[in-house]
Amino acid sequence: MDTLEFSYSHLPQHLKPCFLSFGAFPEDNDIPVRKLLWLWIAAGFIYQDSAKKTLEDAAEQYLMDLIRRSLVVVKFGFCGPLTTKNGDLISPDLGHLVHLETLKLLNTIPLCKSGSLSASIVFLRSLKNLTMSNTYLDWKEAWVFEMIPNLEVLKLKFHAFVAFRDHFLVLQRLQVHRCPYLMEIPEDFENICTLEWIELGGCGQAATNSARDIQQEQESYGNDWLKILIIPELTPS
């Protein structure tokens, strides 16, 4: 009996049809939460255990139960105002998503100077994939990534950061798009033995050169698996 079959066999009866319903979706595709919950409700999988709780509330509880059992991988995206008037980056409340692995943050407030992290910001330790866009953070704020020990993929897009420094524990992929003020990728990345991929687009020649330097340094250690990808259509004119 494999791990998945074992986990299924130990599910409460009311969760089993909900879990099996994932088979109706293409493998590895994202499923909108609202669509999934209404599917469960329409199929009659959801039962109200309280007059004060709606069917949708009950369906959300079913989903959280599956997440807590590590049977569902959660992805969360937020597009909206993520900075204060002073340029401090804040994050949406993620406290209930303790198993969240993928997070995308797109700030819609334009900034003309580098910002900093709000004292209230929290990134979950469970995160493996993080995308940040238009946050204009100074890289001195990158200490926050040290609080995400399982981070494997970091995507920085459209002025996510304005400078670089520090290191990551198990980072495998670094993707940086449309950050023209980025002058270099820090030398610390030379020492990340798990790094497999650096993708740059719209970052200027200086940042590209620093990525090549990191690749050469890794090769001098005998690590020849680090790949550099430059996306020409994103390169600044």
Side-chain angles (χ1 to χ4, degrees), residues 9 17 22 32 64 74 77 93 106 124 139 152 226:
S9 66
F22 285 97
M64 294 306 299
V74 183
D93 180 19
L106 170 59
L124 300 174
W139 198 255
E152 297 177 355
L226 176 59

Side-chain angles (χ1 to χ4, degrees), residues 98-110:
V98 294
H99 298 288
L100 184 66
E101 295 188 0
T102 299
L103 175 63
K104 298 180 180 181
L105 299 176
L106 170 59
N107 179 41
T108 56
I109 297 180

